[in-house]
Amino acid sequence: MSPEAVREKAPKVKDDLYKIRHSLAHVLAQAVLQMRPNAKLAFGPPIDNGFYYDFDFGDEEALGEEDLPEIQKRMRAILKENQQFEKRVLPVDEALEYLTGRGEVYKVEHCQRLKEAGNAEVSFYTNGPFDDLCEGPHVEKTRDLKPNIFKIDRTSGAYWLGDSSRPSLTRIYGVAFATKEELNDYLFWRAEAEKRDHRVVGKQMGLFSFHDEARGNPFYLPHGVAVKDALLDFWKRLHRMRGYVFIETPTILDRKLWETSGHWFNYRENMYTLQIDEEDCAVKPMNCPGGMLVYNESPKSFRELPLRVGELGHVHRHEMSGALDGLRRVRAFTQDDAHIFMTPEQITDEIVGVIDLADTIYSVFGLEYELCLSTKPEEKTIGSDEMWEKATDGLRGALDRWGKPYEVDEGAGAFYGPKIDFMLRDALNRKHQCGTIQLDMALPERFDLTYIGPDNASHRAVMVHRALYGSIDRFLGILIEHFAGAFPVWLAPIQARVLPITDELNDYAQEVATKLLEAGFRVDLNTKSDKINRKIRDAAPMHIPYLLVVGKREAEEGKVAPRLRGNEQLDPLSVEDLIERMRPENDPFHGTTPRWFPPKID
RNA sequence: GCUGCUGUAGCUCAGUGGUAGAGCGCAUCCUUGGUAAGGAUGAGGUCAAGGGUUCAAAUCCCUUCAGCAGCUCCA
């Protein structure tokens, strides 16, 4: 791939919609200042779907949700005034003086930064009584902003400059589009998306739960375990085909190990520690150190490499309470982890292989993803700069060979190495990191991982940490939203439910269910003395792919009358024929397995 | 962790100082029916927890806990 395909983070295109959203942000600030004249302005940029503005209300009462209609009303009044947006340019020192005089502390700070960056002049935009340090551009006049293309949406907190050690601001969000229709479409879509929130669907389908007694730790209910098992069976099968072996390592390990790995000093605030027999120990937040011990159990020959060692490890991390978010962000989760040990020459082939494996997995679910390369963090890292450079080049080389576009996130790597992340989106289009491939040249050093080369000398091994679902828990959350609970047959917690029309048919229904269970399907039956209408309606929240209605006619002929999810009606067929029909659907690859050719070792 | 909002029955939610409510679900009974709401009766709540104000608190105040939207962080 050419370097041009790399999408570095670039400023957004300043098109008409950008101008509309940006101008509305100014109008928002103007309206807010009418209500709180002493509010200090921070930033107010356009964003996806709209805009926001950050305010510091100081000692005054902050504006909240209940004030949003009033803000919106005032904004519409401002639009009617048809204020002109006018740009003027001031020498930076004059601007500083002006802003200082107005007491706009945040603007002063920003202006100062602009000055330090070498700007001799800065621009201001004025509309009506409102004047703001601003790069622009804007629309010409407030009449260009139709009153029905925006909605003041919600408030939240934010930090000045996104830094948790700096002041907390009140952020007011608006959504805005070029036309009323687009706004309404967006609001409709968003309302629909909220209905498939995995926390709502998960409760409705009996997949998982949370309790105050274990904050941030999911409880998996029988239906949730069924889906997880299906995910993990698929994962193991695919990984076995790709030459992986599997291990399991302990949950609690000694402090010495975590000191060797660097976690004790670089990851301490996220670790649960405890004392056992007066020794410091930690509950594992990652599986890698245990994996290192296993690698070192015996000397390795280059002929054994690459060695791909998988582990479905349950890890605990003490996340900040405010970061917890359903299954997307928990304090204990299962990683579909693997560590690949190899020679430096094998890096590119091996990483391309992992990307390909991830791509295979995501495509089975129909998930789109974005690739992101994360480089060395500024602090709390282990390993030399040279190692980081080599490792980063290795990942970049693999990405270039893979040939799809990727973003670069400077400084976002793990403390032991750079990484490639696979970003998936939830129902509300929010991005979540799932798969990750982390190249590590530091831990092999610390744990002295070696192999004997063809020259009969000892060489330093290179390793990759990788997870493709990432966290099974988070991935499940995203899948729930992706499918809105209507999982494909192979994932569905209940694949078929038998619905007898009258109580006399319960025995036959039981017989049908048993046959399906024996054929390996997840089946239940509803023998309540309800009407068939009621039984069908009651089944709806479970999104069961096959509802099998059995009445007198079916019982006499040894058949079932399937009603598919989506309400399609099939002609009655025998249980054996039904099983034949369902069997391929119970396989992620629908009975065909994609061939994969391992990269050759030179 | 920070800012803002919220916490009433299994679920969704009404209830702003004066004897805890609705719909759905659940249980029992009637009904035994052919593809998305048949009928009757009934059980279920220390109104998140603790403290305070008051003759009186689900309601007002404080603290804590938890959830939600973001910020920050990350699988």
Side-chain angles (χ1 to χ4, degrees):
Chain A
M1 183 183 67
S2 64
E4 289 78 15
V6 181
R7 206 151 31 97
E8 301 277 356
K9 280 186 178 169
K12 290 212 173 68
V13 185
K14 299 193 172 176
D15 55 9
D16 288 347
L17 189 52
Y18 179 99
K19 289 185 195 172
I20 287 171
R21 288 172 174 163
H22 198 179
S23 303
L24 281 165
H26 281 220
V27 175
L28 165 64
Q30 187 180 339
V32 168
L33 285 175
Q34 288 176 3
M35 300 167 70
R36 294 285 186 278
N38 297 322
K40 299 300 171 221
L41 305 174
F43 284 129
I47 52 172
D48 284 354
N49 308 319
F51 57 93
Y52 68 78
Y53 215 113
D54 285 343
F55 304 93
D56 185 344
F57 290 108
D59 297 335
E60 288 186 305
E61 192 194 342
L63 294 176
E65 301 288 335
E66 67 282 2
D67 301 304
L68 299 184
E70 175 70 18
I71 296 172
Q72 173 131 347
K73 218 171 103 190
R74 286 170 184 269
M75 285 177 67
R76 287 189 168 152
I78 291 166
L79 299 189
K80 270 195 193 158
E81 289 178 19
N82 204 22
Q83 301 168 352
Q84 305 291 308
F85 281 89
E86 282 163 21
K87 179 180 181 177
R88 71 180 200 284
V89 176
L90 288 182
V92 69
D93 287 318
E94 209 172 304
L96 272 169
E97 199 177 316
Y98 168 66
L99 290 168
T100 307
R102 277 183 26 189
E104 290 290 0
V105 289
Y106 300 103
K107 297 289 180 188
V108 169
E109 194 181 328
H110 182 228
C111 195
Q112 194 68 47
R113 223 184 313 279
L114 291 174
K115 183 184 171 182
E116 281 160 20
N119 292 279
E121 300 180 319
V122 294
S123 61
F124 284 76
Y125 276 82
T126 305
N127 56 302
F130 184 76
D131 187 37
D132 196 5
L133 172 69
C134 177
E135 195 182 15
H138 285 279
V139 298
E140 279 178 35
K141 50 191 188 301
T142 56
R143 275 272 167 80
D144 294 342
L145 306 166
K146 300 297 172 216
N148 54 12
I149 58 165
F150 75 97
K151 177 169 184 267
I152 298 305
D153 195 36
R154 60 189 195 276
T155 64
S156 80
Y159 297 112
W160 171 235
L161 301 178
D163 180 344
S164 58
S165 66
R166 293 179 191 258
S168 261
L169 308 171
T170 301
R171 178 168 296 178
I172 299 176
Y173 286 92
V175 291
F177 288 86
T179 63
K180 177 184 156 190
E181 287 69 31
E182 285 172 84
L183 173 69
N184 289 339
D185 279 355
Y186 169 76
L187 292 174
F188 177 79
W189 166 80
R190 193 174 67 175
E192 287 299 304
E194 277 167 7
K195 287 185 201 156
R196 49 169 78 190
D197 186 315
H198 76 279
R199 291 165 297 196
V200 176
V201 175
K203 182 175 268 190
Q204 174 187 302
M205 293 179 72
L207 300 178
F208 60 89
S209 61
F210 286 94
H211 295 269
D212 288 357
E213 287 81 354
R215 231 199 130 182
N217 291 50
F219 288 62
Y220 285 96
L221 309 179
H223 293 156
V225 171
V227 182
K228 260 181 94 169
D229 281 351
L231 282 172
L232 296 181
D233 287 348
F234 166 57
W235 183 89
K236 272 212 167 173
R237 171 181 158 200
L238 194 54
H239 279 70
R240 241 180 244 123
M241 282 165 21
R242 302 273 186 137
Y244 283 77
V245 294
F246 306 103
I247 61 170
E248 293 172 14
T249 65
T251 300
I252 298 175
L253 301 105
D254 195 273
R255 168 178 177 161
K256 289 189 199 80
L257 181 75
W258 301 111
E259 287 182 353
T260 305
S261 67
H263 286 83
W264 195 264
F265 301 107
N266 292 294
Y267 205 72
R268 185 72 193 280
E269 66 274 16
N270 282 307
M271 290 163 68
Y272 295 104
T273 57
L274 68 163
Q275 280 207 327
I276 299 172
D277 294 340
E278 294 176 24
E279 295 289 327
D280 284 332
C281 294
V283 179
K284 68 176 176 185
M286 298 184 195
N287 304 301
C288 32
M292 308 280 166
L293 296 182
V294 172
Y295 180 91
N296 269 347
E297 282 177 22
S298 62
K300 296 289 185 293
S301 155
F302 73 97
R303 295 179 190 282
E304 297 174 66
L305 307 183
L307 185 57
R308 308 184 183 103
V309 186
E311 174 169 17
L312 292 165
H314 195 234
V315 297
H316 290 71
R317 299 183 185 175
H318 185 260
E319 299 296 340
M320 288 192 298
S321 59
L324 302 177
D325 181 23
L327 289 182
R328 289 184 207 107
R329 197 67 183 289
V330 292
R331 283 179 172 163
F333 56 101
T334 305
Q335 286 183 307
D336 64 321
D337 210 349
H339 300 104
I340 305 175
F341 304 93
M342 59 199 164
T343 71
E345 295 71 36
Q346 292 168 333
I347 291 177
T348 309
D349 279 349
E350 205 46 39
I351 291 182
V352 170
V354 174
I355 298 174
D356 179 75
L357 178 53
D359 186 76
T360 301
I361 289 180
Y362 297 146
S363 67
V364 161
F365 300 100
L367 289 167
E368 306 274 324
Y369 64 89
E370 291 165 33
L371 286 167
C372 181
L373 173 67
S374 296
T375 60
K376 187 181 182 223
E378 283 178 21
E379 48 190 31
K380 282 204 170 182
T381 59
I382 56 179
S384 68
D385 283 349
E386 194 201 340
M387 275 179 182
W388 275 89
E389 202 173 312
K390 261 168 120 176
T392 309
D393 286 348
L395 291 181
R396 200 170 265 135
L399 279 169
D400 289 346
R401 197 159 109 195
W402 177 248
K404 304 242 172 84
Y406 61 94
E407 286 188 34
V408 177
D409 194 353
E410 298 290 346
F415 72 83
Y416 45 75
K419 59 179 185 168
I420 295 169
D421 289 324
F422 295 81
M423 312 297 293
L424 305 185
R425 287 176 187 276
D426 68 16
L428 284 176
N429 216 29
R430 291 175 292 203
K431 273 201 265 185
H432 299 284
Q433 183 181 328
C434 288
T436 185
I437 305 173
Q438 310 181 346
L439 186 53
D440 186 350
M441 294 167 137
L443 286 182
E445 194 83 31
R446 290 177 158 245
F447 281 91
D448 193 25
L449 303 189
T450 58
Y451 64 92
I452 308 297
D455 56 357
N456 198 31
S458 178
H459 298 271
R460 176 70 63 227
V462 175
M463 72 174 290
V464 161
H465 314 243
R466 41 112 290 176
L468 304 180
Y469 291 143
S471 135
I472 311 300
D473 310 66
R474 175 181 291 174
F475 193 80
L476 175 60
I478 287 175
L479 280 186
I480 291 168
E481 300 190 358
H482 179 67
F483 291 116
F487 292 111
V489 170
W490 71 276
L491 280 175
I494 301 173
Q495 298 170 310
R497 175 173 289 173
V498 189
L499 309 179
I501 285 176
T502 68
D503 291 351
E504 281 77 52
L505 293 154
N506 284 352
D507 286 346
Y508 176 68
Q510 179 69 64
E511 211 179 295
V512 169
T514 302
K515 278 189 190 168
L516 285 163
L517 283 172
E518 285 169 352
F521 292 98
R522 296 183 287 275
V523 187
D524 65 7
L525 74 169
N526 182 347
T527 53
K528 290 202 253 186
S529 55
D530 287 325
K531 287 173 46 165
I532 189 67
N533 302 34
R534 174 60 183 269
K535 292 184 182 183
I536 285 168
R537 177 158 50 90
D538 282 352
M542 280 308 299
H543 302 292
I544 299 166
Y546 285 89
L547 296 180
L548 306 175
V549 175
V550 294
K552 223 173 178 176
R553 292 200 294 272
E554 286 77 18
E556 280 164 5
E557 299 173 20
K559 290 183 172 180
V560 297
R563 177 191 169 109
L564 305 186
R565 194 165 55 191
N567 305 338
E568 188 193 342
Q569 193 80 34
L570 295 189
D571 289 334
L573 75 174
S574 71
V575 179
E576 289 69 28
D577 286 346
L578 175 72
I579 288 171
E580 279 318 297
R581 181 194 161 102
M582 287 176 70
R583 212 184 284 285
E585 296 178 343
N586 199 21
D587 184 299
F589 292 124
H590 282 243
T592 62
T593 302
R595 296 295 299 277
W596 179 73
F597 302 96
K600 284 197 194 105
I601 301 169
D602 296 327

